[in-house]
Amino acid sequence: MSRSFAIISTVWVSVLVLLAAMVMPAYAAAPSISSFSPTNGQVGDEVIITGANFTSVIAVTFNGTSSNFILQSSSSISANVPGGATTGKITIYTNDGSSSSADDFTVWVPSSLSITLDPGYGYNAEFARISLNYSLNGREQYNGSVSIDKSGKGTIYQIKPGSYTFILDGSHWLRRTIFDLDLWEPKSLGISLANGDADGDNQVNLFDFVVLDLNFGSAKPMADLDGDGLVNLFDYVIIDSFFGSLGDSDGKTKINPIDGAEMVWVYTGEFPMGSDTGYADQKPQRTVYLDGYWMYKYEVTVAQYRAFCQSTNRSMPTAPNGGWQENHPIVNVRWQDAAAYASWAGVSLPTEAQWEKAARSPMGRAYPWGNIWDASKCANYSNSPSGTKPVGSYPSDVSPYGCVDMAGNAIEWCSDWYNSSYYQTAPWNNPLGPSSGSYRVVRGGSCYSSNDSVFRCAYRNYSSPASGESGKGFRCAKVE
């Protein structure tokens, strides 16, 4: 009797233990995060979270904002940075109420983003420059400009009307920022993608309509103002919208109080420097970035240089045939004397890059006025065989920035040493020229020249710094 009772009791205990195991919850080990990668990102980026005991995870949050996730294994989770997330903890939750957190994932969220498109950027305004002022999480700032299209790669791209998502690739802390910009209605942004100056004379007038008439139905770039690949009625609309205006010069000027010279503003940004079709020392053509600067509108005149000589007890250089005329450009000046004048006037000689950008602009014009040689537009040997003309005598010899006589009148000294192969290794950012040399760069054609190639904006020449002959003059620049 006692033996049977013992067997029955053992059976009942086993049953009770089994029932208890069935109804009592199983307590799994708590989850733990050991690391996550990457440690920063933007909305939509994938983040891999590693650790242990992830099997029963039911939620992942980024600083309290729920994220989509995939449980890859008991030790790995793939999660995406959710919209609205801010910098803070990554936390995982399991179905039994356990959780684990890890500090700190940085979410790159723009707290402000202002965009300005500058018209007239690129050949006949087919390109646009985007100037950005960007702050991240209210702390770090990015200020600069890029030239960009819907691919977001490279330096200069055509921008056509449409709705694009632009990608700006930055350096160090600025990873990748995506923003949307609707270009179907550029006027709603206060910008234009073309300026209507089809013939490159820096004015929108009847001659621009003539250019379109002669090229209607073609794909000729100079007449395809909206960059849609065809010269059509839409290009006439652009000219009509800008009729009577200046082209792409913003007209910003000021006066140097020391010598009274008028200066024009050359804005920050990139331009195509050199030429792949010119002489060997102009190759390769490359994109160069320059900080904004002031450039003398005219070459330094005889009157201005005479005031410098009187102020510094210097002698005037050898006079040209016909003697000095006060409103003509000073010529026959040595490099050292030109540099001394610039120092006296509180400015400097322009670098070779500054000179070329001021002459051709980001549109990359072959000549200051456009891409077709016309001897009547500047002072050269065919129309000025007796020597220089008063500065500004040829108003057509004007660059998009408003610099006059960049092609003709006097050859101009630059600050750089000359090296025929410099372009092959030159920096893209504010190049200053070689550190040493035997010759200095001179730029521009002159009234003593007749070969049209020397009047091209990309043409390079050089001379001994001690040489002041052959009609060498100069203009000045000032970085701010």
Side-chain angles (χ1 to χ4, degrees):
M1 189 71 178
S2 60
R3 180 179 178 83
S4 298
F5 178 79
I7 293 174
I8 293 172
S9 298
T10 301
V11 171
W12 274 108
V13 169
S14 299
V15 171
L16 291 173
V17 170
L18 180 60
L19 290 173
M22 293 174 64
V23 298
M24 292 179 64
Y27 288 94
S32 64
I33 298 175
S34 58
S35 65
F36 51 84
S37 179
T39 58
N40 55 65
Q42 60 186 355
V43 173
D45 281 358
E46 181 185 37
V47 179
I48 302 299
I49 306 168
T50 56
N53 306 316
F54 290 169
T55 305
S56 56
V57 168
I58 59 172
V60 176
T61 63
F62 284 71
N63 205 30
T65 302
S66 297
S67 165
N68 294 325
F69 72 96
I70 298 175
L71 183 63
Q72 297 179 324
S73 69
S74 61
S75 60
S76 177
I77 292 174
S78 169
N80 297 103
V81 180
T86 57
T87 296
K89 296 179 179 180
I90 292 180
T91 305
I92 59 175
Y93 299 88
T94 61
N95 58 10
D96 63 0
S98 300
S99 65
S100 177
S101 299
D103 293 329
D104 237 350
F105 183 87
T106 301
V107 178
W108 296 114
V109 179
S111 57
S112 68
L113 175 61
S114 61
I115 307 171
T116 304
L117 271 75
D118 292 334
Y121 190 73
Y123 178 69
N124 279 296
E126 291 177 5
F127 305 103
R129 183 185 65 172
I130 299 176
S131 299
L132 299 172
N133 179 280
Y134 184 71
S135 66
L136 294 173
N137 301 320
R139 298 193 303 269
E140 310 202 58
Q141 294 284 330
Y142 173 84
N143 289 281
S145 64
V146 293
S147 302
I148 200 167
D149 78 342
K150 61 182 178 181
S151 72
K153 299 177 181 178
T155 53
I156 296 180
Y157 284 88
Q158 187 171 10
I159 294 183
K160 297 180 180 180
S163 296
Y164 297 142
T165 296
F166 293 94
I167 300 174
L168 171 63
D169 289 313
S171 59
H172 63 286
W173 56 267
L174 181 59
R175 295 180 63 254
R176 189 180 72 163
T177 304
I178 299 178
F179 57 93
D180 294 322
L181 184 62
D182 186 358
L183 297 181
W184 281 113
E185 295 181 1
K187 288 185 178 180
S188 67
L189 298 173
I191 57 94
S192 64
L193 299 183
N195 61 26
D197 184 18
D199 63 355
D201 66 354
N202 208 40
Q203 296 182 24
V204 184
N205 50 32
L206 290 174
F207 295 107
D208 300 298
F209 283 108
V210 173
V211 171
L212 263 63
D213 288 340
L214 294 175
N215 295 281
F216 192 81
S218 73
K220 194 169 183 178
M222 70 179 297
D224 180 22
L225 298 176
D226 62 356
D228 65 356
L230 184 66
V231 181
N232 51 32
L233 292 176
F234 294 107
D235 300 299
Y236 284 88
V237 172
I238 290 175
I239 293 181
D240 183 64
S241 299
F242 291 90
F243 192 82
S245 69
L246 296 177
D248 42 24
S249 173
D250 62 8
K252 185 178 177 182
T253 64
K254 74 174 185 177
I255 302 298
N256 184 342
I258 298 176
D259 62 359
E262 184 177 359
M263 298 186 287
V264 298
W265 178 248
V266 181
Y267 58 71
T268 300
E270 300 168 339
F271 78 104
M273 185 172 183
S275 172
D276 289 328
T277 60
Y279 294 104
D281 64 351
Q282 302 169 26
K283 300 177 181 179
Q285 185 180 91
R286 67 201 199 283
T287 298
V288 171
Y289 169 89
L290 295 180
D291 293 331
Y293 58 99
W294 294 98
M295 189 77 162
Y296 275 27
K297 181 175 183 177
Y298 303 105
E299 294 156 328
V300 172
T301 65
V302 171
Q304 290 169 326
Y305 195 83
R306 190 187 302 279
F308 156 70
C309 289
Q310 293 172 348
S311 175
T312 59
N313 296 316
R314 293 173 177 264
S315 299
M316 291 285 286
T318 303
N321 294 335
W324 295 119
Q325 300 181 66
E326 300 300 292
N327 59 350
H328 284 228
I330 186 70
V331 292
N332 301 338
V333 179
R334 300 180 304 167
W335 183 91
Q336 295 94 326
D337 295 325
Y341 176 97
S343 178
W344 168 79
V347 289
S348 62
L349 292 178
T351 66
E352 186 175 17
Q354 287 173 336
W355 192 98
E356 184 168 331
K357 183 178 181 181
R360 71 190 307 187
S361 84
M363 292 185 290
R365 290 177 173 177
Y367 306 96
W369 55 81
N371 295 299
I372 300 175
W373 167 246
D374 185 343
S376 69
K377 289 183 178 292
C378 66
N380 58 83
Y381 190 75
S382 68
N383 54 31
S384 306
S386 60
T388 60
K389 297 290 187 181
V391 296
S393 295
Y394 288 82
S396 294
D397 186 5
V398 60
S399 77
Y401 294 110
C403 294
V404 182
D405 294 333
M406 297 293 281
N409 224 5
I411 302 172
E412 300 179 22
W413 286 111
C414 291
S415 63
D416 307 41
W417 290 106
Y418 174 81
N419 185 312
S420 61
S421 60
Y422 178 65
Y423 283 15
Q424 299 174 22
T425 58
W428 72 274
N429 186 358
N430 293 304
L432 300 176
S435 58
S436 62
S438 300
Y439 302 98
R440 293 286 184 174
V441 171
V442 291
R443 284 302 202 107
S446 77
C447 58
Y448 306 108
S449 305
S450 57
N451 185 343
D452 66 295
S453 65
V454 307
F455 297 91
R456 298 177 70 90
C457 298
Y459 180 75
R460 305 179 72 202
N461 207 342
Y462 59 92
S463 184
S464 168
S467 170
E469 303 304 319
S470 302
K472 296 183 183 70
F474 65 98
R475 74 181 72 213
C476 301
K478 183 177 180 62
V479 175
E480 281 191 356

